Amino acid sequence: MQNFSGRKLGNYELRERLGRGGMAEVYRAYQVGMDRDVAVKIMLGHLAEDDTFIKRFKREARAVGRLRHPHIINIFDFGIENDVFYMVMEYLADGNLKEYIDENGRLSLTESLTIARDLADALDYAHGSGMIHRDLKPANIMFVDKSKQNVVLTDFGIAQIIDATALTGTGMSVGTPSYMSPEAGSGDDTDERTDIYAMGIILYEMLVGKVPYNADTPLAVIMKHINAPLPTRDDYGDLIPPDVENIMLRCLAKVPEARFASAAALRDALTTALDKQSTAERAIPAAKATEVSANNATQFDTIAEDVTQPGVIADNMTTPLATPKPQSQETENQGVMRWVVALIALAVFGSVLFFTYDAFFASPDTPTDVVITESATETTSAQADVTPSPEADTVVFESQLGGELPPNPEANLSMYSNISEILNEAETLVFEGNLEGAIVQVEAILADEPENAEALFAKARLYSYRWDEDNIAGETAQQLIDLQPDSPWGYIALADSYLNYPLLDEEGSVDAAHDAIQTAIDIDPENPHALWRLANLGEWELQFERYTQAEDFGASGADFILSIARYFSGNRDYLRAIPYWESYYRGADTAAWTWSESFWELTEALIRSGDARAAYDLLLESPFPDIASDASTYGNMAYIAFMPGEYEQAREWADAALAFSSEDDANAARWVLAFMAFEVDEDEDSAVEQLIQLAEEDAFHRYIEFGTQTDAYLQSARYMATAGRDEEAIEFYSTLVELNSGVPFFFEERADAYLRLGENELARADLQTALAIEPDPQIQQYYRDRIIELGPADEGD
């Protein structure tokens, strides 16, 4: 194929050929209208003569373009120009898994399991959408950033497109020999389990550093996949633990029926193995910490008589001999990931004015030197007395989803950071919306006592709340570090200063914040204030552990509450998020924008956890029904009223939203009115047209977009099915399983729609997916019975 560099296809200027294969070439291109680089895959030119290829190309390109999953590459466009067929996708410049394995020899167990789990989740989603990859290999697995933490699958649909052409002879299939399943190599029909076989090969290659079957010719490799025995420990030694070995060998079963029944089942097995590995890894530093604690017991004993309570900052005390610094648990080259996490933090953990990373310590009397001697595990009565609202002090909550909550939400949800009396008093003014008054108060203390460490820390924290272009927070933190170089507090304040908006524009500020927090951790590994900040800035997989540790050691404060609430909501663990959102909502002053934010987040969490009535009751108790004056607020209220069936009130508020605006900020109200057309007006045709239009326009109000969007799609799909519009219903269900592929009844309901359209095999696939992800044995049997009722699968499916 000729080199197309320098040519233009559609709106894309081809700049550089990145690679070529037997069927296609890939170019880095520039999309003029969007001002961005993209990747363009060009298919072989002579394929244009094949009518089957042309039809398949258009159909498969559209199908691939609809895939939306965090671990599947985004396809932006496709086209045909002068017999040149091309697909346009996001441009990724950070290499593929094949290159990464070649560079490292083999990957760690945790890396391998994480990548395999994410790929299995992507396959589960794609298979549920009727897409099989058929050419899985490390070269088709790309990294999305330099941290090598996240991967995406590429080349979905290419095998299907090529497979329909005359290029593949009778009895043969496309694919790469080293990763080709026995049935594909034999020319037999393949299904989703051919991808599961390839996953077994990829897992083996990541863990061992090479593929299990090698030979001199491609045909000889294929024959080994068909006839050679499975690899054993004679081939890979003790590199693979028994539980992971079982997963890998099950994927590599010669007979498809002996493999995992679905990618979802494989994903779950990998998740279990990864959790087990993470637990084992955490046990090592825990044991080391115990040893360090024992070694330093004498140092703590020498100052214990001066401390009124474990974790309380002592008066007039210098830092004890430094605890030996543990090695950082952070991997290298995490700069990009930290930027992503920090930018999310900016949107998520804001407070009264701007950015609010708060601290958690135990409450002192009035110290001169800020020194912690032991991590706090209790909240004193003095701390409880200064909580802004009684409701915020204690929120007892038990999860009903299984698993444990972080240990002490009922004890630690104080709105105050409880670092010192000076900071508590300053925070009182901040909660009242008087940040400048708080600064004046702290500056007055420092005018009399320039080296008051408690006031220095409070000043640095307060300036971190505001637009601090002069970096007063950073300068004050440095003063504290100079005053007490062996104390963690100055480094904590310094980290917060780096994350102030003006400094965030400077290259390396997030890395500098991370380094400052790591220094605080090195000084005091059990410091809860440093731990929860490290959770925000460090490795994603360790966040829950660090939040839990921080809270167990006495974390409190408005910023911590917001941080962990956002963490749980971001992970869709709404039951765990509820006590934190409620604590902040009950404790914050209504003048703060974060109070309003926490209210909408709390009502969303209640709705998403199945308690829409509680969300509506909370709304009626709030000031919003009396103070609403914009379309967004009325739209939110209408949705909250609609969910528990308060239709008359929902219509009233939705109409009010449209009275204020009919533009995008009234989209929530428009959705509600479309739902009302079904529920109350019984005007199915009107409702269907409204719902289709809203979905096509991506017309989602923020409140629906974040989380409750799933409810909007589910309700829409059900309305379409009720109206006999099953094709439209399937479109909504397909988007729904994109948003959440772990809910069995989503697949079951889509299967019902397929059955009504006579698409029995698509229905069978959905029911099999539902069976694979359903945990309840009785419901599993129900799905089995439904699958059996469909009778034998069609030949070739």
Side-chain angles (χ1 to χ4, degrees):
M1 185 187 295
Q2 63 177 299
N3 191 330
F4 284 83
S5 297
R7 288 186 53 179
K8 188 173 182 180
L9 288 177
N11 295 319
Y12 310 100
E13 299 175 357
L14 305 185
R15 299 285 178 85
E16 173 189 5
R17 184 162 64 185
L18 300 175
R20 63 187 306 179
M23 301 297 175
E25 293 184 338
V26 180
Y27 289 81
R28 179 177 65 84
Y30 177 69
Q31 186 179 3
V32 178
M34 297 296 290
D35 188 26
R36 65 180 177 186
D37 282 343
V38 295
V40 176
K41 182 179 288 288
I42 298 177
M43 312 300 288
L44 283 172
H46 67 268
L47 296 174
E49 301 171 2
D50 191 319
D51 290 339
T52 304
F53 173 83
I54 296 173
K55 293 177 182 177
R56 177 64 70 94
F57 176 83
K58 292 180 178 179
R59 184 170 69 249
E60 295 295 338
R62 290 191 182 99
V64 174
R66 285 195 292 268
L67 295 178
R68 289 292 183 272
H69 188 278
H71 299 295
I72 296 177
I73 198 167
N74 286 320
I75 304 296
F76 300 137
D77 192 10
F78 73 93
I80 304 171
E81 184 174 304
N82 298 324
D83 295 336
V84 175
F85 295 75
Y86 63 92
M87 281 187 180
V88 183
M89 62 201 75
E90 60 182 313
Y91 173 65
L92 300 173
D94 295 301
N96 61 50
L97 180 59
K98 181 63 176 174
E99 296 166 345
Y100 192 50
I101 294 172
D102 291 344
E103 291 169 4
N104 291 275
R106 62 184 182 88
L107 309 188
S108 71
L109 182 58
T110 298
E111 273 186 304
S112 301
L113 289 173
T114 300
I115 291 172
R117 178 202 59 193
D118 292 344
L119 295 176
D121 191 59
L123 288 175
D124 173 45
Y125 161 74
H127 293 168
S129 300
M131 299 291 291
I132 305 172
H133 196 290
R134 290 193 175 91
D135 192 22
L136 276 178
K137 55 187 177 183
N140 284 338
I141 299 163
M142 304 289 293
F143 289 102
V144 301
D145 56 47
K146 297 184 186 300
S147 71
K148 309 296 186 185
Q149 297 294 306
N150 293 288
V151 294
V152 293
L153 275 174
T154 67
D155 277 6
F156 253 110
I158 300 300
Q160 288 94 319
I161 292 171
I162 299 299
D163 198 35
T165 71
L167 291 172
T168 55
T170 303
M172 289 302 292
S173 179
V174 297
T176 302
S178 292
Y179 307 91
M180 190 177 292
S181 66
E183 62 270 25
S186 300
D188 295 334
D189 293 322
T190 58
D191 59 16
E192 292 89 345
R193 292 168 295 187
T194 195
D195 286 346
I196 291 175
Y197 182 87
M199 282 293 300
I201 300 290
I202 293 169
L203 182 58
Y204 183 101
E205 187 173 2
M206 287 191 291
L207 292 169
V208 181
K210 61 182 180 179
V211 294
Y213 301 120
N214 267 314
D216 294 334
T217 67
L219 180 58
V221 173
I222 291 173
M223 295 308 297
K224 280 194 173 185
H225 282 286
I226 297 171
N227 299 316
L230 294 178
T232 68
R233 288 196 174 272
D234 289 338
D235 300 300
Y236 49 80
D238 295 325
L239 295 174
I240 306 175
D243 57 334
V244 179
E245 180 184 37
N246 291 337
I247 294 172
M248 178 187 72
L249 294 179
R250 185 173 174 185
C251 290
L252 294 177
K254 302 295 182 182
V255 180
E257 289 76 13
R259 297 173 203 150
F260 287 96
S262 68
L266 171 59
R267 176 199 61 210
D268 293 345
L270 290 165
T271 300
T272 299
L274 184 59
D275 290 344
K276 180 179 178 181
Q277 175 65 15
S278 298
T279 301
E281 289 175 352
R282 287 196 298 270
I284 297 173
K288 290 181 178 178
T290 301
E291 181 181 350
V292 169
S293 177
N295 292 339
N296 286 282
T298 304
Q299 298 173 22
F300 287 114
D301 288 344
T302 61
I303 59 173
E305 60 184 7
D306 295 319
V307 182
T308 58
Q309 174 188 330
V312 173
I313 304 170
D315 282 338
N316 302 315
M317 195 170 295
T318 57
T319 304
L321 294 175
T323 302
K325 297 184 179 182
Q327 293 295 315
S328 170
Q329 294 181 359
E330 304 298 316
T331 59
E332 295 181 359
N333 301 321
Q334 293 294 316
V336 174
M337 175 58 81
R338 292 187 201 129
W339 265 108
V340 173
V341 172
L343 291 175
I344 292 172
L346 278 174
V348 163
F349 308 125
S351 188
V352 180
L353 292 179
F354 295 110
F355 181 74
T356 58
Y357 264 50
D358 240 337
F360 357 108
F361 304 48
S363 84
D365 294 323
T366 308
T368 300
D369 294 336
V370 185
V371 176
I372 191 167
T373 61
E374 187 175 354
S375 296
T377 56
E378 298 179 3
T379 302
T380 66
S381 58
Q383 294 167 357
D385 290 340
V386 295
T387 302
S389 167
E391 293 90 343
D393 190 21
T394 302
V395 181
V396 179
F397 184 79
E398 295 180 0
S399 172
Q400 299 175 9
L401 288 180
E404 296 180 357
L405 284 167
N408 301 315
E410 69 278 4
N412 291 352
L413 295 187
S414 165
M415 288 292 289
Y416 287 94
S417 299
N418 293 318
I419 300 168
S420 69
E421 290 299 334
I422 289 178
L423 187 56
N424 279 357
E425 291 172 6
E427 286 179 330
T428 300
L429 294 173
V430 171
F431 296 146
E432 295 171 355
N434 189 7
L435 174 62
E436 296 306 316
I439 291 174
V440 169
Q441 179 176 284
V442 171
E443 292 279 20
I445 296 173
L446 288 171
D448 293 333
E449 304 175 59
E451 294 189 351
N452 185 313
E454 178 187 346
L456 286 170
F457 186 89
K459 177 181 176 180
R461 290 294 302 118
L462 292 172
Y463 273 97
S464 292
Y465 285 142
R466 62 181 294 175
W467 184 270
D468 187 23
E469 60 186 351
D470 294 327
N471 195 23
I472 295 173
E475 292 176 0
T476 307
Q478 190 59 55
Q479 284 182 261
L480 184 55
I481 291 171
D482 294 340
L483 184 65
Q484 295 184 356
D486 294 325
S487 167
W489 310 131
Y491 295 101
I492 292 171
L494 183 64
D496 292 342
S497 73
Y498 281 123
L499 297 173
N500 194 269
Y501 276 110
L503 281 185
L504 268 176
D505 291 335
E506 298 182 11
E507 184 177 355
S509 64
V510 177
D511 286 337
H514 178 274
D515 292 344
I517 284 299
Q518 189 60 57
T519 301
I521 290 286
D522 291 344
I523 293 172
D524 183 358
E526 293 186 350
N527 187 300
H529 316 266
L531 280 169
W532 79 268
R533 285 169 169 83
L534 189 61
N536 289 339
L537 289 170
E539 294 177 78
W540 198 268
E541 313 84 59
L542 297 176
Q543 279 190 298
F544 178 80
E545 175 192 353
R546 285 168 177 161
Y547 279 131
T548 301
Q549 290 175 338
E551 190 173 51
D552 199 23
F553 294 147
S556 65
D559 293 339
F560 166 70
I561 294 171
L562 281 175
S563 177
I564 199 167
R566 285 290 192 177
Y567 168 76
F568 283 130
S569 283
N571 285 281
R572 298 187 179 185
D573 197 345
Y574 294 102
L575 277 176
R576 292 185 182 183
I578 287 171
Y580 298 94
W581 286 125
E582 183 169 5
S583 178
Y584 194 92
Y585 168 67
R586 300 291 187 187
D589 190 281
T590 56
W593 72 264
T594 42
W595 172 86
S596 174
E597 182 75 6
S598 64
F599 173 82
W600 300 120
E601 294 281 4
L602 174 57
T603 52
E604 178 185 338
L606 289 167
I607 290 171
R608 298 285 290 151
S609 61
D611 200 351
R613 173 58 56 181
Y616 180 68
D617 291 343
L618 188 69
L619 173 60
L620 295 182
E621 295 170 6
S622 76
F624 285 109
D626 297 325
I627 66 173
S629 60
D630 60 84
S632 294
T633 302
Y634 274 117
N636 290 346
M637 292 162 56
Y639 196 87
I640 293 172
F642 170 79
M643 292 306 293
E646 296 290 340
Y647 299 136
E648 183 177 345
Q649 183 63 79
R651 187 189 299 279
E652 178 184 330
W653 284 334
D655 288 341
L658 294 179
F660 279 93
S661 174
S662 61
E663 302 300 326
D664 290 350
D665 56 355
N667 285 336
R670 293 168 61 203
W671 274 97
V672 170
L673 290 173
F675 295 155
M676 296 285 289
F678 264 105
E679 296 284 353
V680 182
D681 304 335
E682 298 183 357
D683 186 355
E684 294 179 352
D685 290 338
S686 172
V688 166
E689 296 307 319
Q690 290 183 66
L691 293 173
I692 292 175
Q693 181 181 353
L694 285 164
E696 287 177 346
E697 294 175 358
D698 289 331
F700 290 100
H701 182 273
R702 177 196 174 282
Y703 187 65
I704 292 178
E705 181 72 31
F706 297 146
T708 51
Q709 180 182 4
T710 301
D711 299 319
Y713 273 116
L714 178 60
Q715 200 68 47
S716 301
R718 288 173 171 172
Y719 287 152
M720 296 294 179
T722 301
R725 305 280 289 268
D726 284 309
E727 290 184 356
E728 288 96 336
I730 287 169
E731 290 293 326
F732 277 104
Y733 279 121
S734 297
T735 304
L736 187 63
V737 298
E738 281 183 35
L739 295 168
N740 191 340
S741 62
V743 182
F745 73 81
F746 291 173
F747 293 94
E748 180 193 2
E749 292 187 22
R750 187 171 67 174
D752 291 334
Y754 279 132
L755 287 173
R756 289 190 292 269
L757 292 174
E759 299 283 358
N760 286 22
E761 297 311 312
L762 292 174
R764 187 192 309 276
D766 270 354
L767 289 172
Q768 289 175 335
T769 301
L771 172 62
I773 62 180
E774 173 56 57
D776 189 307
Q778 289 184 326
I779 302 177
Q780 287 175 356
Q781 187 57 52
Y782 162 74
Y783 287 138
R784 289 191 194 95
D785 292 341
R786 291 204 60 183
I787 294 168
I788 293 170
E789 286 172 6
L790 290 176
D794 290 346
E795 238 180 88
D797 292 329

